Amino acid sequence: MTELNIMQQIAVWAIPVIFAITLHEVAHGWAASRLGDKTALMLGRLTLNPIKHIDPIGTIVVPVALLVMGGFVFGWAKAVPVDMRNFKNPALDMAKVAVAGPLANLLMAVFWAIVAKTGTVLQTSIPDIGTYLIYTGFAGVSINLILLVLNLLPIPPLDGSRVLSAFLPKKLAWQYNQIAPYGFFILIGLMVLGMLSPLLIGPYTLFRDLIFSIIGL
């Protein structure tokens, strides 16, 4: 396949990125609602309308900038509000809510792999559509698996930290979660030092190869 210019890359990545980020947050809200916290539901955040979830910086500026610079593309949406006081078992239920986001990304990665596979079937008879589906499908797999493994890092407030917190003694969990205001800066530091990609590439490759093997790509 030919190399895409920047506008073509944006056209290919736009839909997968927006829905990977927004459906991740919807999954958190849906899980919270099922477990007794209706905050996100009452605020109208359990919707597939991306406009309700878009963060101008995290959903648009950061992904486009990373796309231009090359390498991993990721981003974030406005966080879905969750009130742990509405849960019967706050720590454990919060862990379940946290897992829902990465699980949604895993399911979306499978969906986009099927899109790419469909593109390979159509490429001979309808080359333009087939090629677009291949590019978009691979982009969808990529962004969703990156969000999956990134969010499972045990750096507060990422989802992985919520899971880990559920299994720590209460005092230690509280101390651990005090890191949350600095989590973004920790990620930036890891990226600048060239340490973030090595942390992500192993799990990313494992999930990607497994999905491609199942779908037949």
Side-chain angles (χ1 to χ4, degrees):
M1 292 185 289
T2 58
E3 185 175 347
L4 303 180
N5 62 43
I6 188 59
M7 294 308 298
Q8 289 172 324
Q9 290 184 58
I10 291 174
V12 163
W13 281 82
I15 293 176
V17 167
I18 289 173
F19 281 99
I21 294 171
T22 58
L23 289 179
H24 177 101
E25 292 301 329
V26 171
H28 285 318
W30 178 83
S33 179
R34 297 283 293 181
L35 291 167
D37 176 39
K38 307 294 183 182
T39 306
L41 178 63
M42 291 187 294
L43 293 175
R45 293 296 301 278
L46 297 191
T47 173
L48 298 182
N49 180 1
I51 296 175
K52 293 285 188 177
H53 307 282
I54 286 176
D55 177 284
I57 300 298
T59 314
I60 300 173
V61 175
V62 170
V64 170
L66 292 173
L67 188 62
V68 171
M69 292 185 293
F72 281 122
V73 175
F74 67 90
W76 61 89
K78 291 188 293 185
V80 165
V82 177
D83 190 341
M84 295 175 61
R85 294 173 297 181
N86 294 320
F87 296 145
K88 292 181 180 179
N89 188 331
L92 183 58
D93 288 348
M94 191 64 207
K96 294 176 182 177
V97 170
V99 167
L103 181 58
N105 289 127
L106 178 60
L107 295 175
M108 282 188 281
V110 173
F111 165 79
W112 286 110
I114 294 172
V115 169
K117 180 66 176 179
T118 303
T120 64
V121 174
L122 295 177
Q123 195 172 27
T124 301
S125 57
I126 318 176
D128 289 342
I129 293 178
T131 300
Y132 177 77
L133 291 179
I134 292 172
Y135 276 118
T136 306
F138 279 117
V141 172
S142 179
I143 182 61
N144 278 287
L145 291 186
I146 290 168
L147 289 180
L148 167 65
V149 298
L150 177 66
N151 277 282
L152 288 180
L153 291 176
I155 301 173
L158 296 178
D159 298 328
S161 71
R162 303 297 187 187
V163 177
L164 180 57
S165 292
F167 299 96
L168 293 175
K170 288 186 177 180
K171 183 177 181 180
L172 183 57
W174 181 85
Q175 294 172 332
Y176 170 58
N177 286 313
Q178 297 311 297
I179 303 171
Y182 313 102
F184 178 77
F185 299 103
I186 292 173
L187 283 176
I188 295 299
L190 290 172
M191 185 185 302
V192 171
L193 293 172
M195 298 171 64
L196 186 59
S197 290
L199 287 174
L200 301 179
I201 194 64
Y204 170 88
T205 302
L206 178 64
F207 280 113
R208 183 200 62 192
D209 291 350
L210 179 60
I211 291 173
F212 283 1
S213 175
I214 292 171
I215 303 302
L217 283 171

